[in-house]
Amino acid sequence: MITFELLTKENIPTIVNLMVDFYAIDGYPINKENTTNLFSEFVNKPESGKCFVIKYNNEICGYTILIQFFSFEMGGYVLLLDELYIDNNFQGKGIGKKAMEFIKQFAQNNNYKKIVLEVEPHNQRAIQLYQKESFRKHKRDLMIFP
């Protein structure tokens, strides 16, 4: 059984540990104390977005972070799928597909006009999942400052 639960303060340490594993895949730096503080801030500002804990047979196996923003170009509020991570020990069980169904339903229920995401070019497994869920590559490139 796969379930999605809104992040609680009690689950923050577990999610931070999963995030450390996720960031290690691409060598992204992460500071556990800072990330824990950011999660506490995030949980207290629900207008920013939501983090859902993903459970498989009642065991935490991953998480997703969904951020909202407004875009005139996209016709209103947009949902950014900021992060979706499933622990390696739980991959291949259909959890990613269920997570995408959950995210799409969440977007529909909350009247988001679009869902956008970014994915590492080498992450073929994720790219295939997103393509199966009708996501397509945008013609623009992502840029960041600083």
Side-chain angles (χ1 to χ4, degrees):
M1 178 178 199
I2 301 166
T3 58
F4 302 86
E5 300 173 8
L6 205 52
L7 177 70
T8 61
K9 289 185 180 182
E10 295 77 33
N11 285 331
I12 289 174
T14 302
I15 299 306
V16 169
N17 286 333
L18 286 174
M19 193 177 268
V20 167
D21 293 342
F22 185 31
Y23 284 29
I25 294 169
D26 292 304
Y28 291 138
I30 185 168
N31 177 299
K32 286 176 77 169
E33 182 180 343
N34 187 40
T35 302
T36 299
N37 292 335
L38 287 171
F39 263 119
S40 295
E41 181 180 341
F42 185 70
V43 168
N44 289 325
K45 293 199 175 204
E47 67 277 7
S48 298
K50 308 274 187 245
C51 177
F52 290 95
V53 174
I54 304 170
K55 291 185 176 181
Y56 182 80
N57 293 334
N58 229 17
E59 186 177 351
I60 294 175
C61 66
Y63 68 94
T64 187
I65 299 174
L66 308 173
I67 308 294
Q68 81 168 12
F69 66 93
F70 192 91
S71 169
F72 283 91
E73 178 184 341
M74 294 186 191
Y77 282 98
V78 176
L79 190 64
L80 169 65
L81 171 47
D82 190 42
E83 295 190 13
L84 172 59
Y85 178 69
I86 311 297
D87 183 278
N88 283 339
N89 298 317
F90 293 89
Q91 291 184 6
K93 299 179 182 304
I95 299 168
K97 182 174 176 31
K98 282 285 191 200
M100 293 308 300
E101 291 171 9
F102 173 81
I103 292 162
K104 287 162 62 173
Q105 189 64 54
F106 178 84
Q108 184 178 1
N109 292 348
N110 291 281
N111 298 314
Y112 290 103
K113 303 304 180 193
K114 304 269 186 202
I115 303 172
V116 297
L117 59 85
E118 62 179 334
V119 61
E120 293 289 337
H122 67 82
N123 193 344
Q124 287 304 310
R125 192 174 195 166
I127 291 169
Q128 288 174 348
L129 171 67
Y130 299 141
Q131 287 174 334
K132 284 181 185 173
E133 294 297 321
S134 300
F135 283 79
R136 58 180 167 56
K137 187 173 168 88
H138 195 279
K139 62 185 173 187
R140 295 193 184 136
D141 289 330
L142 178 67
M143 297 177 78
I144 190 167
F145 173 85

